[in-house]
Amino acid sequence: MFLKCDLIEVISRMTIAGLWDQRIAAFLLSPSQFLATTTSESFLAELLHELRNDKANDQLKILLVSVLLEHPTILCPSTSVGEETALELLSVFSHMPQKSISLKCNVMLAITNVIICTSCLATHTKMAEDWLDLLYQTIQDTNDYRCGLSQQPIRATACDCLREMETCSPGLLSQKLEALCLLKQQETTVLHQSYCMLYTLGLKNAIRILTNQKDVTDLEFKTILAGNEGFAWKSNPLGLTFLPVNMMVQVPRLPPGLDCKELKSIMSSLLEESYLLTPISQSALLRELVEVVAMVPGLSPTLFKSQLLRLFGTAEVELMHATLFMKDTFTDSLFTAEDENFLLKRLVSTAQHPLLGIPEKLFYMDCILHFPENRPISSSGEESLPVLVTPRLAASLLPTVFNDSATMLCRLNLLCLVHLEADEGEDDKGINYLFNHIMALLKIVDSDGSREVVVTSFRAVYIFLMHFSGMEELSDKLIDKLCDMYSRHSRLAQHLIGLADRIQERLDDHVWSVKLLRGLQKRIMEMPPLQLTIHNLSWHLKVLKRVAKEGHITQRNTIYLLLNVLINSNLCERGNWQVGNAVLAVCRNLLEHPSIDKVFIELADLLQYISVHYEDTDIQDHARFYYTLLTNLSWEKLTGVLAKGPDGGRAKERSHSAIMAENEGIASNLTVHKAERHVLRLVKVQEKTSQRFSDSSESLEVTGETKKWLEVYQEQFQMPGFGSEVTLRYNLTHADETDSLFDRVFTVCLHFELKDSNYAKVSDIHVPCVFRDRKPPEVKVRLKPFQPYPTTLSVSAIFTTQDGCSWHSRLPDVSVSFPEIFLPLPLPLNTSCACKEEVFDRIWEAAASGSPDKSAISLFCFKTGDESLADLIKTHFQGYLITDELSERSWKVLFFLPPMCHVLLMITQAEDAVQVSIATDNWELLPFVNSYLQNITDHCCTTVTDG
């Protein structure tokens, strides 16, 4: 009976563990999708409850803890939740049995992770402080004196947790350096490395904090090194900061003159012990010490001199990386020219060592390419070859066909740079070797090489062209070889298209890509009919589709080939959708070709033939649609309809089937829709402008010149069409209430209709776009009056919305009032005031003595004060005054109304009223003049007397 119960309990535990395995796996795969069916609070509560379950085994609990290691902020979104979770984990940790070493280590890491990620450490919570104290107490058990050897992993994990907290809060251990140094010296087990790394990190961060202070004294410096106090919880601005990889950037430094004997002794001790560490730890230690030396002027880089011999001969990638970092930091302060030359030769020899793996070889090749020179020529950060890497030095790195793909491509890139910058005279042996290597690779491809060989070969061609595409002879040979290969292996189509695209992306000059595509088009045209099988034709159509995108390649031969294949084969009868769609893909690109007008008839014939004879309804419908677009739209509109979206897809997706049935999708695509409300409106922003009668810059004075000008003016006055345009300025903006569909409209065409025959036809105005969230564009409406009367313009607009549809909308009518037609008299520039008065007097005399059928004199009177009269004149007549300064009792105003009318006002201040004498050469204007004067003086008593 007891055995049966135990078996049931074991099965139950296995079932629970299996369920947790599935739940944890689902959460780690997609936390957001997992939490869609529950909440983070409930899931976290379940995790913590299961961690407290004594019946759950350690492996299950480690799996549960892994969730908090991977996604702590998802389950603990706030500092308070993080603190509570850390307290729960600490409770679980304290009740664990001594033998659960692995579980304890994972829980320690989880607590540290939660405290850091939920800002408990940054905000100095009580939990963070207690946890930090517990970790520090744990590492004080040096050499496992109290807890025994079995608890050694706990101490190692505690050191790692302290390092992580010091990294995330630099300076946290800055007041415990002496204590940490003592612990490091006492530790004689394998954990000496962990203590050493913890102390070095604390030392570097403490010095880094000192560099932010001004006037650091020897006492402050020694106090830092001899610190044995509490944790430095005071926040500091360092954050996660390291010295820059490019050491030419200014490094923070302590002031010179500090006593660095003790620090120098510490550094020497650490370097002497460094060989005891693993390569990874040695590399990290050296980097920390390099940063310390870079920040302390009193320390010389020669401290590392004793380590160079060991580092130069290392086979460890980590140590070589640290050496190069050291060289980039100190350059010739530590490394002599001989050292530099030796190190570079060492890298070259190591990069081809037969016992090294491919990743290590690639690393050393990259080190050669980015070798930190003592005296670099370029500091722009661009990829450039070190001066010491000569063709002689790099000769052993020449690529061969026996290299693996990655090594060969890396060597090829390096050697291309070597021979590109080398001065090899007329033979160019190195470049010829590289070119022959490329040709050898292509020969292997031509012999039915594997896919890996094909991909590697085309990548090699790309690398070669990136450096030597300007060498026309070699480039043309490559094109001939690639086209010959395609003639025999049409399966290379995608690789050739990809090569042309990548070359075109990287090179400003597209000549090579165009030559290759033109060569491929020619080879396809020359192929015998027997080679145009279904399988091969699909590849050829992909190439022709890409060729059709090039505006510099004529497409007539492509269309002829497609038409001949369709007519002289059974493709149409078979109705293969894939082949038909591939043909239409070529046609689609042809529709966007800039020289479509030269092949318009041929392309129309091809599309019409497909729409009639191809035995697939979808292909027929698409062909009809393309034919409709071709025959009804301009090239500009056509390219807009077929434009690609920003993600590479169609700008507007629709179903184009059954075009002849006038389905809704096609109607929507080709119809101009009518907006029910006003979408746009014109808002006046500024007074009208006009051109002057003369562009002469000479002054017109009161002499015979005035008379001469009047004679010329009268001659011009009699000519038909004389007079300036009236230009009115408006802002084209959205109406107050419009659908969000119209927030962005494009290619706006404004059309104006006149409601009378007093003006010439107003031309349409085109505006590129109107966006609601941008400044409205300015529109200039030019009016040419036949009679200078007020008028109203009816305005409508045709525009396109962002979804590709065209719309028609009416705008509110635009009223042109009588004052908006006024223009200054078109006098020459710089005309004197006296001359203006003489012109005014002569035109007045002409109007007073002219024919009664045309000219007229009138009188308008109103009452106002002197001050308000001056303001009225300044407000309404400033631009039309004949004299620059306002006189005390009399003013002269002259309006020119195109095309050939004048209105003259002589304003006089009488004792009881203001008299406005009016003269005009067109008596029909008097009612408008009277209304205008009455509007601007409507606050006064007005009397009108006709003369």
Side-chain angles (χ1 to χ4, degrees):
M1 183 67 180
F2 289 108
L3 291 176
K4 184 177 181 181
C5 292
D6 292 342
L7 181 61
I8 293 174
E9 184 177 354
V10 169
I11 294 174
S12 175
R13 289 180 184 177
M14 291 178 61
T15 303
I16 293 173
L19 292 175
W20 272 111
D21 285 344
Q22 296 176 8
R23 296 187 70 190
I24 298 298
F27 176 81
L28 295 177
L29 180 64
S30 177
S32 59
Q33 185 175 351
F34 178 86
L35 294 177
T37 58
T38 183
T39 62
S40 59
E41 293 83 359
S42 60
F43 184 53
L44 177 62
E46 292 180 55
L47 284 177
L48 296 175
H49 180 269
E50 190 66 22
L51 283 172
R52 288 190 293 267
N53 184 4
D54 295 335
K55 296 181 179 180
N57 58 45
D58 287 359
Q59 292 301 319
L60 174 58
K61 291 184 178 181
I62 290 174
L63 179 64
L64 298 175
V65 169
S66 68
V67 175
L68 290 168
L69 290 173
E70 292 291 333
H71 301 286
T73 55
I74 293 179
L75 297 181
C76 306
S78 65
T79 302
S80 59
V81 176
E83 188 173 13
E84 293 173 3
T85 303
L87 284 170
E88 290 284 344
L89 292 173
L90 182 57
S91 175
V92 172
F93 176 79
S94 61
H95 290 88
M96 285 180 183
Q98 291 291 327
K99 62 179 181 179
S100 301
I101 301 298
S102 180
L103 177 57
K104 277 192 169 186
C105 292
N106 279 274
V107 173
M108 290 174 69
L109 293 173
I111 295 173
T112 305
N113 200 34
V114 169
I115 288 176
I116 293 174
C117 295
T118 59
S119 302
C120 290
L121 182 64
T123 56
H124 187 192
T125 62
K126 181 67 167 56
M127 175 60 208
E129 186 174 355
D130 293 344
W131 180 243
L132 198 57
D133 290 334
L134 180 59
L135 291 175
Y136 189 71
Q137 291 174 14
T138 303
I139 68 170
Q140 285 182 314
D141 183 24
T142 55
N143 300 313
D144 305 306
Y145 180 76
R146 292 195 307 267
C147 299
L149 184 63
S150 63
Q151 300 297 308
Q152 195 176 86
I154 302 294
R155 285 198 299 130
T157 304
C159 287
D160 292 339
C161 291
L162 284 172
R163 281 187 64 200
E164 193 68 23
M165 297 175 83
E166 170 65 20
T167 300
C168 296
S169 182
L172 192 64
L173 303 175
S174 61
Q175 297 176 359
K176 286 186 172 292
L177 291 182
E178 185 178 32
L180 290 174
C181 184
L182 182 60
L183 291 175
K184 174 182 74 69
Q185 293 171 356
Q186 292 174 351
E187 185 65 37
T188 58
T189 69
V190 293
L191 294 189
H192 175 82
Q193 172 174 282
S194 298
Y195 283 83
C196 184
M197 296 303 300
L198 178 61
Y199 171 71
T200 307
L201 177 63
L203 176 65
K204 184 202 74 173
N205 286 341
I207 294 175
R208 179 67 191 278
I209 292 174
L210 279 181
T211 60
N212 291 331
Q213 300 180 15
K214 296 181 179 179
D215 303 325
V216 179
T217 63
D218 286 333
L219 179 60
E220 292 175 324
F221 191 48
K222 290 180 180 180
T223 302
I224 284 290
L225 298 178
N228 193 12
E229 303 174 8
F231 298 104
W233 285 104
K234 184 179 179 181
S235 60
N236 62 80
L238 291 183
L240 296 175
T241 56
F242 303 95
L243 290 185
V245 176
N246 183 2
M247 297 305 293
M248 288 182 291
V249 179
Q250 185 64 35
V251 178
R253 295 169 68 86
L254 289 174
L258 293 176
D259 185 4
C260 300
K261 291 182 181 179
E262 186 176 353
L263 179 60
K264 184 176 181 181
S265 175
I266 293 172
M267 297 280 292
S268 300
S269 175
L270 290 170
L271 287 171
E272 289 173 3
E273 299 170 359
S274 63
Y275 74 95
L276 299 173
L277 278 58
T278 62
I280 294 177
S281 296
Q282 282 189 59
S283 176
L285 175 70
L286 287 172
R287 182 184 177 99
E288 307 285 9
L289 296 182
V290 166
E291 294 188 23
V292 170
V293 174
M295 291 186 289
V296 182
L299 295 179
S300 172
T302 55
L303 279 171
F304 300 99
K305 199 72 175 177
S306 60
Q307 305 293 322
L308 290 186
L309 184 60
R310 177 172 66 90
L311 294 174
F312 281 177
T314 184
E316 302 292 341
V317 170
E318 301 88 351
L319 293 180
M320 181 57 70
H321 191 274
T323 306
L324 293 173
F325 175 75
M326 196 183 302
K327 187 178 189 310
D328 187 43
T329 305
F330 300 125
T331 62
D332 55 358
S333 299
L334 178 61
F335 294 81
T336 63
E338 291 77 12
D339 293 336
E340 186 176 53
N341 197 17
F342 177 81
L343 183 57
L344 194 55
K345 288 181 179 179
R346 169 73 177 166
L347 291 173
V348 171
S349 62
T350 311
Q352 51 188 319
H353 199 285
L355 296 181
L356 290 181
I358 294 175
E360 288 84 359
K361 291 180 181 179
L362 295 178
F363 167 75
Y364 288 115
M365 290 289 295
D366 197 62
C367 290
I368 297 171
L369 186 58
H370 301 94
F371 185 74
E373 299 175 273
N374 285 350
R375 295 286 185 270
I377 294 178
S378 173
S379 60
S380 61
E382 296 180 359
E383 189 174 69
S384 59
L385 200 66
V387 175
L388 292 177
V389 183
T390 61
R392 181 183 295 274
L393 179 66
S396 59
L397 296 176
L398 285 169
T400 69
V401 294
F402 302 108
N403 297 133
D404 62 273
S405 297
T407 302
M408 189 273 292
L409 293 175
C410 192
R411 288 189 176 191
L412 177 64
N413 182 53
L414 177 65
L415 269 296
C416 283
L417 285 171
V418 170
H419 294 293
L420 181 66
E421 299 181 6
D423 184 12
E424 302 183 47
E426 298 179 357
D427 293 337
D428 289 334
K429 295 180 180 179
I431 298 177
N432 287 332
Y433 176 89
L434 297 176
F435 179 77
N436 291 332
H437 173 70
I438 299 295
M439 299 301 284
L441 290 174
L442 295 179
K443 189 173 182 180
I444 296 175
V445 173
D446 204 7
S447 302
D448 290 331
S450 64
R451 184 183 183 279
E452 181 183 0
V453 173
V454 174
V455 172
T456 302
S457 300
F458 275 89
R459 288 178 176 175
V461 172
Y462 170 78
I463 292 173
F464 184 84
L465 289 172
M466 283 296 96
H467 299 94
F468 303 114
S469 60
M471 302 182 70
E472 189 173 350
E473 182 180 355
L474 298 182
S475 297
D476 291 345
K477 287 182 179 179
L478 263 180
I479 291 174
D480 291 340
K481 178 64 176 177
L482 292 172
C483 291
D484 287 341
M485 289 169 54
Y486 179 74
S487 299
R488 293 183 288 274
H489 308 286
S490 58
R491 63 186 176 87
L492 298 177
Q494 284 295 95
H495 299 284
L496 290 165
I497 293 171
L499 177 63
D501 290 341
R502 300 294 83 76
I503 293 293
Q504 209 165 59
E505 288 174 3
R506 290 293 302 275
L507 297 180
D508 295 333
D509 189 354
H510 297 172
V511 173
W512 191 88
S513 294
V514 173
K515 281 185 177 180
L516 173 64
L517 294 171
R518 186 181 287 116
L520 293 174
Q521 181 195 41
K522 182 180 178 183
R523 294 304 173 97
I524 295 174
M525 300 301 127
E526 295 172 350
M527 285 182 181
L530 294 177
Q531 289 191 20
L532 297 178
T533 62
I534 290 292
H535 176 70
N536 290 341
L537 183 61
S538 63
W539 293 118
H540 299 330
L541 291 175
K542 289 181 182 294
V543 174
L544 294 177
K545 173 187 174 183
R546 177 62 182 86
V547 171
K549 291 183 178 181
E550 291 298 330
H552 298 289
I553 301 179
T554 57
Q555 304 297 325
R556 192 182 304 274
N557 291 336
T558 296
I559 299 175
Y560 284 156
L561 173 69
L562 296 178
L563 199 55
N564 288 334
V565 168
L566 293 176
I567 293 175
N568 299 316
S569 69
N570 63 347
L571 286 177
C572 291
E573 290 77 5
R574 295 176 64 175
N576 187 293
W577 184 88
Q578 285 82 3
V579 175
N581 195 53
V583 174
L584 287 178
V586 179
C587 296
R588 186 187 184 282
N589 286 346
L590 290 172
L591 289 172
E592 298 183 78
H593 200 275
S595 61
I596 188 175
D597 56 324
K598 298 180 180 178
V599 293
F600 179 87
I601 297 177
E602 293 84 352
L603 182 56
D605 290 343
L606 174 61
L607 292 171
Q608 194 172 39
Y609 186 86
I610 296 173
S611 65
V612 173
H613 296 90
Y614 208 89
E615 295 296 330
D616 184 274
T617 304
D618 187 62
I619 301 300
Q620 289 182 358
D621 290 347
H622 277 75
R624 290 191 189 101
F625 174 63
Y626 288 159
Y627 180 81
T628 303
L629 295 179
L630 175 66
T631 55
N632 288 276
L633 299 179
S634 65
W635 181 75
E636 291 78 7
K637 186 68 174 179
L638 189 59
T639 54
V641 171
L642 299 176
K644 296 284 186 180
D647 58 349
R650 296 283 180 87
K652 179 66 178 177
E653 293 286 352
R654 289 189 178 89
S655 173
H656 297 309
S657 298
I659 184 173
M660 300 307 290
E662 297 182 7
N663 72 8
E664 183 179 352
I666 298 302
S668 175
N669 200 19
L670 300 179
T671 302
V672 177
H673 305 275
K674 186 175 182 179
E676 297 180 358
R677 297 183 179 180
H678 295 310
V679 175
L680 303 171
R681 61 175 179 168
L682 290 172
V683 180
K684 186 180 177 185
V685 294
Q686 185 175 326
E687 291 296 333
K688 70 282 176 186
T689 59
S690 65
Q691 296 179 344
R692 290 188 175 273
F693 169 75
S694 173
D695 292 331
S696 172
S697 60
E698 299 179 359
S699 298
L700 189 63
E701 302 294 342
V702 186
T703 60
E705 290 294 324
T706 305
K707 182 178 180 181
K708 181 180 179 181
W709 178 84
L710 284 170
E711 293 175 357
V712 174
Y713 180 68
Q714 288 174 352
E715 291 177 2
Q716 295 284 342
F717 188 80
Q718 300 299 326
M719 293 176 62
F722 170 75
S724 301
E725 296 178 341
V726 176
T727 302
L728 305 178
R729 302 188 183 213
Y730 298 88
N731 275 342
L732 180 60
T733 183
H734 282 82
D736 293 334
E737 297 182 1
T738 57
D739 194 308
S740 58
L741 171 68
F742 305 113
D743 285 351
R744 294 188 168 206
V745 297
F746 304 87
T747 58
V748 182
C749 177
L750 297 176
H751 180 69
F752 298 86
E753 292 287 344
L754 293 163
K755 293 190 176 181
D756 51 50
S757 59
N758 294 324
Y759 289 82
K761 181 180 179 182
V762 181
S763 301
D764 291 348
I765 298 176
H766 298 272
V767 180
C769 59
V770 182
F771 293 174
R772 184 182 290 278
D773 55 352
R774 292 186 186 176
K775 182 180 179 181
E778 185 179 275
V779 173
K780 296 180 181 179
V781 180
R782 291 181 171 85
L783 300 176
K784 293 184 179 180
F786 298 139
Q787 297 292 339
Y789 301 149
T791 189
T792 300
L793 301 175
S794 297
V795 190
S796 60
I798 294 180
F799 52 84
T800 303
T801 49
Q802 202 163 2
D803 60 359
C805 292
S806 297
W807 291 81
H808 177 273
S809 171
R810 299 205 64 84
L811 278 69
D813 290 347
V814 174
S815 297
V816 180
S817 63
F818 184 61
E820 289 183 282
I821 313 170
F822 296 167
L823 295 176
L825 185 68
L827 290 167
L829 298 175
N830 301 326
T831 301
S832 66
C833 295
C835 178
K836 290 180 181 178
E837 288 199 52
E838 183 178 353
V839 171
F840 178 90
D841 294 340
R842 295 202 179 200
I843 296 177
W844 185 283
E845 293 173 3
S849 60
S851 171
D853 295 337
K854 295 182 179 180
S855 303
I857 301 294
S858 182
L859 180 64
F860 180 90
C861 298
F862 64 96
K863 293 182 179 181
T864 184
D866 293 341
E867 184 176 353
S868 58
L869 175 61
D871 293 339
L872 183 144
I873 291 174
K874 186 175 182 179
T875 301
H876 297 282
F877 304 136
Q878 181 67 48
Y880 310 99
L881 286 172
I882 295 302
T883 54
D884 292 337
E885 297 182 0
L886 298 179
S887 64
E888 296 183 356
R889 308 293 295 179
S890 179
W891 297 267
K892 294 180 179 179
V893 179
L894 196 156
F895 299 122
F896 173 70
L897 285 74
M900 54 184 66
C901 298
H902 303 82
V903 174
L904 297 87
L905 307 179
M906 192 177 297
I907 305 172
T908 306
Q909 177 70 61
E911 293 181 1
D912 57 346
V914 178
Q915 297 181 358
V916 181
S917 299
I918 307 169
T920 178
D921 46 17
N922 184 354
W923 64 268
E924 293 180 352
L925 297 178
L926 285 178
F928 300 111
V929 176
N930 181 73
S931 298
Y932 167 64
L933 293 175
Q934 198 162 9
N935 287 335
I936 65 176
T937 62
D938 58 358
H939 62 285
C940 304
C941 295
T942 304
T943 303
V944 179
T945 305
D946 291 330

